[in-house]
Amino acid sequence: MKTSRNGTRRRKTKAITTAKAGLPPGSLVHVGAVKTDRPEITLIAYDENGIEESRFASIVESREYKPAHNRLWLNVHGLQDAEILGEIGRRFHLHPLVLEDILNTHQRPKIEDYGSYLFCVLRVFEYDPESRTLGSDQVSVVLGENFVLTFQERRTGIFEPIRDRLRTPLAPILKRGTDYLAYTLLDAVIDRYFIVVDQLGDTAEQLEDEALASPTPELLRTINLVKHDTQLLRRAIWPLREVLNSLLRGESAFFQQETRLYLRDVYDHTIHVIETLDAVRELLGDLMDIYLSAVSNRLNVEVRILTVLTTLFLPATLITGIFGMNFERMPLIADEQGFSVALAIMAAVAAAMAAAFWRRNWLRL
Amino acid sequence: MKTSRNGTRRRKTKAITTAKAGLPPGSLVHVGAVKTDRPEITLIAYDENGIEESRFASIVESREYKPAHNRLWLNVHGLQDAEILGEIGRRFHLHPLVLEDILNTHQRPKIEDYGSYLFCVLRVFEYDPESRTLGSDQVSVVLGENFVLTFQERRTGIFEPIRDRLRTPLAPILKRGTDYLAYTLLDAVIDRYFIVVDQLGDTAEQLEDEALASPTPELLRTINLVKHDTQLLRRAIWPLREVLNSLLRGESAFFQQETRLYLRDVYDHTIHVIETLDAVRELLGDLMDIYLSAVSNRLNVEVRILTVLTTLFLPATLITGIFGMNFERMPLIADEQGFSVALAIMAAVAAAMAAAFWRRNWLRL
Amino acid sequence: MKTSRNGTRRRKTKAITTAKAGLPPGSLVHVGAVKTDRPEITLIAYDENGIEESRFASIVESREYKPAHNRLWLNVHGLQDAEILGEIGRRFHLHPLVLEDILNTHQRPKIEDYGSYLFCVLRVFEYDPESRTLGSDQVSVVLGENFVLTFQERRTGIFEPIRDRLRTPLAPILKRGTDYLAYTLLDAVIDRYFIVVDQLGDTAEQLEDEALASPTPELLRTINLVKHDTQLLRRAIWPLREVLNSLLRGESAFFQQETRLYLRDVYDHTIHVIETLDAVRELLGDLMDIYLSAVSNRLNVEVRILTVLTTLFLPATLITGIFGMNFERMPLIADEQGFSVALAIMAAVAAAMAAAFWRRNWLRL
Amino acid sequence: MKTSRNGTRRRKTKAITTAKAGLPPGSLVHVGAVKTDRPEITLIAYDENGIEESRFASIVESREYKPAHNRLWLNVHGLQDAEILGEIGRRFHLHPLVLEDILNTHQRPKIEDYGSYLFCVLRVFEYDPESRTLGSDQVSVVLGENFVLTFQERRTGIFEPIRDRLRTPLAPILKRGTDYLAYTLLDAVIDRYFIVVDQLGDTAEQLEDEALASPTPELLRTINLVKHDTQLLRRAIWPLREVLNSLLRGESAFFQQETRLYLRDVYDHTIHVIETLDAVRELLGDLMDIYLSAVSNRLNVEVRILTVLTTLFLPATLITGIFGMNFERMPLIADEQGFSVALAIMAAVAAAMAAAFWRRNWLRL
Amino acid sequence: MKTSRNGTRRRKTKAITTAKAGLPPGSLVHVGAVKTDRPEITLIAYDENGIEESRFASIVESREYKPAHNRLWLNVHGLQDAEILGEIGRRFHLHPLVLEDILNTHQRPKIEDYGSYLFCVLRVFEYDPESRTLGSDQVSVVLGENFVLTFQERRTGIFEPIRDRLRTPLAPILKRGTDYLAYTLLDAVIDRYFIVVDQLGDTAEQLEDEALASPTPELLRTINLVKHDTQLLRRAIWPLREVLNSLLRGESAFFQQETRLYLRDVYDHTIHVIETLDAVRELLGDLMDIYLSAVSNRLNVEVRILTVLTTLFLPATLITGIFGMNFERMPLIADEQGFSVALAIMAAVAAAMAAAFWRRNWLRL
């Protein structure tokens, strides 16, 4: 069972696979699991006058399309078809390294300034409290002058509320630039972190109850897996801190002064989610102590049982021994009630001892 | 019982609730528990000439009011009525994000400069030594050119001494600007921290006594909960350090040179309270060692009891066995006093061993 | 006993008492234990021409005094009379916050530049190796253009050697400014730290011997108390590092270039005393491992005793059982020497086993 | 066996051997194991027009050679012949300290700017999952204006894919400068790190399974050896971080603006590999807890067996004792079925107890 | 024995002795153990034309001496005669604090710039693998314009190879300035560190073997002593890092540009030795886990022995009990072979159990 478990829930320490090693940089090969049946391209063109949504089955289809509004949000679900990305790259003049990073879904979160656009890699998490597994998808965002491109490995539904807000007639978001759209995308990702961190916190509290109730080495392994997951999450969120900080300091021209106030808010949320996550991690660290202490306690209980048993039987056995001696003259031996008296003495001694243990609470396991 | 306990005293690792996730920024929704029956608005207008206090039942009532003095302190208890906040926001030209942060009472402590006013979020703690629970309320302070606004979730009485000082005729505080008032508010919050930290320190010492007396896994859990509380407190105080430091360096124009000397004092107090808190946390960390050592010690004691018992009974049992053998010729067997002699030997051996244990202090549990 | 111990030797995590909370800043109330019968004022006036010492019973007495030399060192022992401080404050134009800090003897060490004088709070320690208690007093120093003021809670005798050097005719110290006097005071405080750290180191080594000999939970508590004391000491010394560093960088005009060379020496000593203290703390940290290992070892020894006992008695008891069986035909039973032979077998088996244990060193407790 | 193991797999904490101590700097002595039979010199001359490869048996042979293309990559395998290095040093004007560092294969990774060339020391690792040993070789790279020199202790095949890319006609790499070649070399080294880190991660997971199954002190030793290897790896990779960062900031003129974008990619990979390595190290750290918990658990199991045994036999033995007493009147004694009844009682008691244990899961080891 | 051990090998946490406390700064008193019979003064005068060595029995003797070459290296072994130092100080215009630091051999390593010379305190170590003791001597170096002064507590022979290099006719070192000589002295000290760190690493590996073989609390103490020694060493080396870094950044004019390249090499070595030392310290940290695990394991083994014994004897004892019962009708009792059959049953049960243990490997201690 252990092996199969390891099999289904492998630790996520694996780095870039060796298949990629040695290839020239910029080679467009999708590295990562294929998570959708086929890619899906959605284009939202909007400005203060309205919004127009289009969905393309293939990249060929989209070539003819001329948008009626001048702010574009192009979203791609599914990355297995490198051709689509190649075409988008050519049309938006993306650097080969950007395309490579989008396809290789094992990137660290980062924001890079390529002069005419900002490239941003994020990681979206999903926690399943049942199986206690943490899944993650890479979301790449390119923010240019009037366009936002987003690339996801599969539908996570994370940007759906933003699409709904765009669809609302006269929504304030329509009046603002694409930098504001990029901010709302970022905000949606961070909000998702709060949910996952809360779920991990709940799991940690369940594990605490289990550790007190039945401390098995298997439980310890589960604790370590969850600890590992929080670490994974932390490593994904931590770089955002610095990235947002650099955007706040105004190092990039892509965010307007007004939008930066909102970025400061996102930055606060990021710090907050990191602190909450750290509290969860502390909880998990303390769990180890609770676990080890519960194990020690069980040992104490078992030694105590042994002691109680020995204590209850040794005196009785001694008494049987005494009356089993072969002396010719022994008290009680010839007595009619001798046997009963002996049994009574044994029972009395055992009862007295049991009472003593009762008072010391030793009979409660 | 464990579940109910977990229920009444949940760990405070929860982040912003998911209800808020996905809403556009600046939506005025109160996030947090409602802690008062109905909001209460108090306005103190003061300057060197005097002071005037007003209390409004509703926000409508206050619209007509014209203050006679030119420094204003507006305080709101209870945040469930978003309308009040909306009106105050409009009248003092507060940014939507500020109003959102006031209503969402899960903010990290911070100070933000919005150009025409400083916005400051603080956290006020209350510790109940009986139930060993740490409660907290968010206090938001807005410091503008001649006004201070304070927003609290409920009455904590923390600012009452300051009101008393304002009410004292010719009090020095009346002659100083609203920046000095803001300083005294800050000082009152930090002074409260000292009290809470002292209470946590007392609890830690009680727990130490309990750990030595009866080390149960439940106690360990309590230790971890208190440790968690100190961590929570630390996370609330720590950001103040940097915030005060930036105010001291004169990055904000809202504090006059003279008031900054007092801010340096508050800064010193903050460092001091953090150091005291760290000492408490160390104490709690050491507690774990004391606890584990007490558990080990109890195991030692129990093994010792087992050893003592075995030692006292084994020789006696052996003697009964010897005289229980069926040899036809055995010494003492036919003797009149044989039985008594055998018992005497047993008692003597047991007494000698008990004496040996007594000297080794093994009979003391 | 535990309670009384806790009573006499309370942990020093207590912060500013709650009595002070809520008072306006600058209120002159002495916070801390009163350690002297009555305050004592000493004034030393000196320059290259000579020295004049005066002692005043009350502050009134000193008003008439006109010093003959132009460098002043005013020392006050005992701080319970706030009036004295008030007068000194007025005469030397000290800020109310300075006076407040002098009276409130729970300050962190610090140096603050008030423009026309430097204000410096230090902490002097005293260690009693017998009771293993660490006491501390606050020493406040004010360094002005031609005067040095020192305030102590009670006589510690720490500055006595400096007075002796001043009294020596033509001593070099008379020729130098008050900044050099301030340096010698600082140096005396740091030298005292070396002594206390050495005493703590000796205590740590004694505790190590005790841990190996008799690891009781009470000892663990003592170890933690000493650890706590080193932490306390470290927190008092650590801020000096930064403070001296800022003086060295020449941020303050009160120390002349020549005196700064000596300050660099004091800085080196401070680093050295911190490093030595850290070595002591490491020692105490390792002590925990030695303690726990000694506890484990004792458990091993006790289980071993149990095993030895069981091993020595079980075979003998089995033999008595064998000859206690009621078979009609049994060897040796009818034999004249049967009983003796049986005893001899028991003795032989026990002796053989004892020898085996002896060789394994199991009989040594 | 322990000694031989220590012998074959010595920890790699050894520093520069003492043979070198005291020699003047710049003495050309090869310090390190000789890993090849004889040195091998390969020269690749290339530019956008083509590529020419030459292989020299000795350094004398190469003196006559005039390359047809103006970008040179000179590679040396095997460093035991100091003469070769001396000649290369003279021809490319390398500083004696550079040559010394190339020969002494115990260098830390570093990049040094010598004005007319960059000198870079890297470490290439190889992990053998069977014997769980980590081997490493030093690779030195000198990057000048139009030439790259690489020095390796032996053939590792790490640069073979790059040679293949150079051999491809019209490959983009031919059109770029030697700084791009240096980047690809660096990239190849980092890619190798990913592979080694993955192998270490797999080993860590195997060790986890072993720790749960059979926690022996020998296993603990293995865990520590692997932990040590990860530490070794980390120390080799960590300096690259700073080095790449300084190259990125443009402190060196040897990398063109265009190539720096690629260096940023290498920098990202370096951070990524460090983070992955840290995850492996955490895993190994948690392993210790799992190991200790498994040991504790085994102790619990063994005490439990003892308790079960005692519990099953003590009542039966007591019953035999009771019927072994010598009372003249005892129930059942004269009964025909007495013996069987007694045995039945013993069996029943034992069975009842075994059932109780079964329900508590105590019979499962 | 414990006391004597503590006596002969005291921990080196002692700071400056209290004898010095309270003395005015610059008092020339030798603080530290006297390690040589009498001081020895050696003067080497050299330049590119040659070298002249002189040895003086007393400081008086040296007054007449006029060197023929213009670069001087004055070395003093033995510091007990403060008069010698006083004279040297006057002749080379050294600051009183420098002389004090040379005599007080408990300094931290440091480099101080006194304007016309650099003053440098180093610590040279010596490790005795037999007694596992680490000794250290202070070496003070003064580097001025054309002279180098070195002061050692006793002959350590550490500078002998440098003297040999100076004595070699036409050696390159003769052509270079005294800054290069200072570099070679520094290099010799660092090379010595490598040797000591290697010896500590060997000791750590021996201790690992001992911990696995026989984990006694005394061994733990030894482990902690060695850990303490590595810490001591680290504290001595660590400050060099910063010091060399500041020399490299060119903050001091005493090192020429050319020599700085060599200093960079020394800096690299320092980092390397610190990293190697850290690896040794990690090894020692892991040792604690191995030790504790070996102790746990031994407890397991001992409980197992107890269990095996109980298991082998309890069934046999029960059988003797059964046949010892006094039923009138019992099977086998009257049988001729009854006794032998009973013994055979006992032996068979014991053998079956022993076989079961054998298969579980429980009979191997």
Side-chain angles (χ1 to χ4, degrees), chain A residues 20 23-31 82-87 89-90 95-103:
Chain A
K20 194 86 207 296
L23 284 185
S27 315
L28 288 195
V29 180
H30 177 233
V31 179
E83 195 37 53
I84 296 177
L85 227 78
E87 174 119 10
R90 279 187 297 277
H95 192 278
L97 282 172
V98 167
L99 298 177
E100 195 189 343
D101 282 354
I102 291 171
L103 281 178

Side-chain angles (χ1 to χ4, degrees), chain A residues 244-295:
Chain A
L244 282 164
N245 210 4
S246 86
L247 290 181
L248 275 177
R249 280 195 309 267
E251 290 177 3
S252 162
F254 289 97
F255 283 95
Q256 298 169 19
Q257 193 58 41
E258 173 64 16
T259 313
R260 263 178 220 164
L261 271 183
Y262 291 95
L263 278 184
R264 189 164 71 180
D265 205 55
V266 173
Y267 177 76
D268 268 359
H269 287 182
T270 309
I271 302 289
H272 198 170
V273 84
I274 288 172
E275 285 185 356
T276 314
L277 187 56
D278 283 348
V280 173
R281 291 176 64 212
E282 251 169 64
L283 199 56
L284 286 164
D286 292 344
L287 247 171
M288 183 60 67
D289 290 322
I290 287 180
Y291 171 87
L292 285 177
S293 141
V295 167

Side-chain angles (χ1 to χ4, degrees), chain E residues 64-78:
Chain E
E64 311 299 308
Y65 180 74
K66 289 272 168 288
H69 303 278
N70 58 22
R71 291 181 195 127
L72 293 184
W73 174 18
L74 182 78
N75 180 65
V76 179
H77 284 114

Side-chain angles (χ1 to χ4, degrees), chain C residues 32-105:
Chain C
V34 173
K35 295 180 176 172
T36 46
D37 282 351
R38 52 191 210 82
E40 211 180 281
I41 309 168
T42 334
L43 183 73
I44 292 180
Y46 73 98
D47 57 15
E48 53 276 37
N49 302 319
I51 168 174
E52 192 184 68
E53 266 185 279
S54 332
R55 202 170 293 261
F56 305 103
S58 74
I59 189 69
V60 184
E61 229 180 276
S62 72
R63 279 182 198 153
E64 310 300 308
Y65 180 75
K66 288 271 168 288
H69 304 277
N70 57 22
R71 290 183 195 125
L72 294 183
W73 174 18
L74 181 79
N75 179 66
V76 179
H77 285 113
L79 304 172
Q80 62 268 54
D81 186 353
E83 196 36 52
I84 295 177
L85 227 77
E87 175 119 9
I88 293 175
R90 279 187 296 277
R91 238 184 278 172
F92 289 92
H93 309 290
L94 304 182
H95 193 278
L97 283 172
V98 168
L99 298 177
E100 195 189 344
D101 282 354
I102 291 170
L103 282 177
N104 182 336
T105 58

Side-chain angles (χ1 to χ4, degrees), chain C residues 104-351:
Chain C
N104 182 336
T105 58
H106 297 290
Q107 299 299 312
R108 294 179 66 237
K110 62 178 172 185
I111 294 195
E112 290 178 335
D113 193 334
Y114 276 85
S116 60
Y117 54 89
L118 268 187
F119 173 54
C120 169
V121 177
L122 300 168
R123 199 147 275 281
V124 173
F125 288 90
E126 211 153 347
Y127 191 72
D128 178 359
E130 282 312 302
S131 63
R132 287 172 180 161
T133 48
L134 182 72
S136 81
D137 290 279
Q138 177 170 314
V139 174
S140 309
V141 178
V142 177
L143 165 63
E145 184 65 42
N146 256 319
F147 63 88
V148 170
L149 317 177
T150 53
F151 304 88
Q152 304 177 61
E153 295 181 73
R154 56 166 173 171
R155 274 179 192 291
T156 54
I158 194 171
F159 295 149
E160 215 43 57
I162 299 167
R163 269 187 209 102
D164 287 342
R165 275 164 62 193
L166 281 167
R167 285 171 196 139
T168 313
L170 301 174
I173 192 173
L174 293 172
K175 289 175 220 145
R176 296 167 175 270
T178 45
D179 62 331
Y180 188 84
L181 177 61
Y183 145 70
T184 58
L185 297 171
L186 212 58
D187 197 39
V189 169
I190 308 263
D191 275 355
R192 170 67 68 93
Y193 291 157
F194 276 114
I195 296 169
V196 171
V197 168
D198 273 4
Q199 288 172 322
L200 281 168
D202 288 342
T203 301
E205 290 184 22
Q206 286 164 22
L207 289 173
E208 191 180 47
D209 287 338
E210 290 176 34
L212 279 172
S214 67
T216 62
E218 275 302 313
L219 179 70
L220 188 58
R221 198 174 191 168
T222 308
I223 293 172
N224 281 333
L225 281 170
V226 176
K227 217 157 88 183
H228 202 79
D229 282 344
T230 58
Q231 189 61 32
L232 206 75
L233 196 55
R234 194 173 203 280
R235 258 197 290 272
I237 306 176
W238 188 253
L240 286 181
R241 212 182 104 114
E242 203 154 323
V243 150
L244 283 164
N245 211 5
S246 86
L247 291 180
L248 276 177
R249 280 195 309 267
E251 290 177 2
S252 163
F254 289 97
F255 284 95
Q256 298 168 20
Q257 193 59 40
E258 172 63 16
T259 314
R260 262 177 221 164
L261 271 184
Y262 291 94
L263 278 184
R264 191 165 69 180
D265 205 54
V266 173
Y267 177 75
D268 268 359
H269 287 181
T270 308
I271 302 290
H272 198 169
V273 85
I274 288 172
E275 285 185 356
T276 315
L277 188 55
D278 284 348
V280 172
R281 291 177 63 213
E282 251 169 65
L283 200 56
L284 286 164
D286 291 344
L287 247 171
M288 182 60 67
D289 291 322
I290 287 180
Y291 171 88
L292 285 177
S293 141
V295 167
S296 286
N297 214 57
R298 227 177 41 174
L299 182 60
N300 264 341
V301 165
E302 287 171 11
V303 167
R304 199 178 296 156
I305 296 171
L306 193 60
T307 310
V308 166
L309 278 170
T310 308
T311 315
L312 291 182
F313 281 93
L314 272 188
T317 305
L318 178 63
I319 291 167
T320 67
I322 287 171
F323 290 107
M325 291 191 293
N326 292 326
F327 289 103
E328 284 170 11
R329 299 234 175 151
M330 278 166 39
L332 285 175
I333 284 292
D335 202 289
E336 179 95 9
Q337 299 304 322
F339 185 72
S340 310
V341 168
L343 288 190
I345 294 173
M346 290 178 213
V349 170

Side-chain angles (χ1 to χ4, degrees), chain D residues 14-33 100 103-104 106, chain E residues 161 165 187-188 190-196 198 269:
Chain D
K14 283 278 167 185
I16 292 176
T17 51
T18 61
K20 194 87 208 297
L23 284 187
S27 316
L28 288 195
V29 179
H30 177 235
V31 179
E100 195 189 343
L103 281 178
N104 182 336
H106 297 290
Chain E
R165 274 163 63 194
D187 197 40
I190 308 263
D191 275 355
R192 169 69 67 93
Y193 290 158
F194 276 114
I195 295 169
V196 171
D198 274 3
H269 287 181

Side-chain angles (χ1 to χ4, degrees), chain A residues 161-162 165 180 183-184 187 191-192 194-195 197-199 201-202 205-206 208-209 212-213 258 261-262 264-265 268-269 271-273 275-276 278-280 282-283 286-287 289-294 296-297 299-301 303-304 306-308 310-311 314-318 320-331 353 357 360 362, chain B residues 2 6 10-11 13-18 20-26 95-97 100-101 106-108 110 112-114 215-218 220-221 224 227-228 231 235 239 288 291-292 295-296 298-300 302-303 305-306 309-310 313-314 316-317 319-321 323-327 330-336 338-339 342-343 346 365:
Chain A
I162 299 168
R165 275 165 62 194
Y180 188 83
Y183 145 71
T184 57
D187 198 38
D191 275 355
R192 170 68 69 93
F194 276 114
I195 296 169
V197 168
D198 274 4
Q199 288 171 322
D202 288 343
E205 290 184 22
Q206 287 164 21
E208 191 179 48
D209 287 339
L212 279 172
E258 173 64 16
L261 271 183
Y262 291 95
R264 189 164 71 180
D265 205 55
D268 268 359
H269 287 182
I271 302 289
H272 198 170
V273 84
E275 285 185 356
T276 314
D278 283 348
V280 173
E282 251 169 64
L283 199 56
D286 292 344
L287 247 171
D289 290 322
I290 287 180
Y291 171 87
L292 285 177
S293 141
S296 286
N297 213 57
L299 181 60
N300 264 341
V301 165
V303 167
R304 198 177 297 155
L306 193 60
T307 310
V308 166
T310 309
T311 315
L314 272 187
T317 306
L318 177 64
T320 66
I322 287 171
F323 289 108
M325 290 191 292
N326 291 327
F327 290 102
E328 284 170 11
R329 297 229 177 157
M330 278 166 41
M353 286 189 151
F357 288 137
R360 282 184 170 270
W362 275 38
Chain B
K2 273 166 211 166
N6 244 6
R10 268 216 105 209
R11 285 169 195 282
T13 55
K14 284 277 167 186
I16 292 176
T17 52
T18 62
K20 195 86 208 296
L23 284 185
H95 193 278
L97 283 173
E100 195 189 342
D101 283 354
H106 297 289
Q107 299 298 312
R108 294 179 67 236
K110 62 178 172 185
E112 291 177 336
D113 193 333
Y114 276 85
T216 62
E218 275 302 314
L220 187 58
R221 198 173 190 169
N224 280 334
K227 217 156 87 182
H228 203 78
Q231 189 61 31
R235 259 198 289 274
M288 182 61 67
Y291 171 87
L292 285 177
V295 167
S296 286
R298 227 176 40 172
L299 182 61
N300 264 340
E302 288 171 12
V303 167
I305 295 171
L306 194 59
L309 278 171
T310 308
F313 280 93
L314 272 188
T317 305
I319 291 167
T320 67
F323 289 107
M325 290 191 292
N326 291 326
F327 290 102
M330 277 167 39
L332 285 176
I333 284 291
D335 202 288
E336 180 95 9
F339 184 74
L343 289 189
M346 291 178 212
L365 293 195

Side-chain angles (χ1 to χ4, degrees), chain D residues 71 84 91 134 141 149 218 222 261 268 298 301 318 344:
Chain D
R71 290 181 195 127
I84 296 177
R91 235 184 282 172
L134 183 72
V141 178
L149 316 177
E218 274 302 314
T222 307
L261 271 184
D268 268 359
R298 230 177 39 174
V301 165
L318 178 62

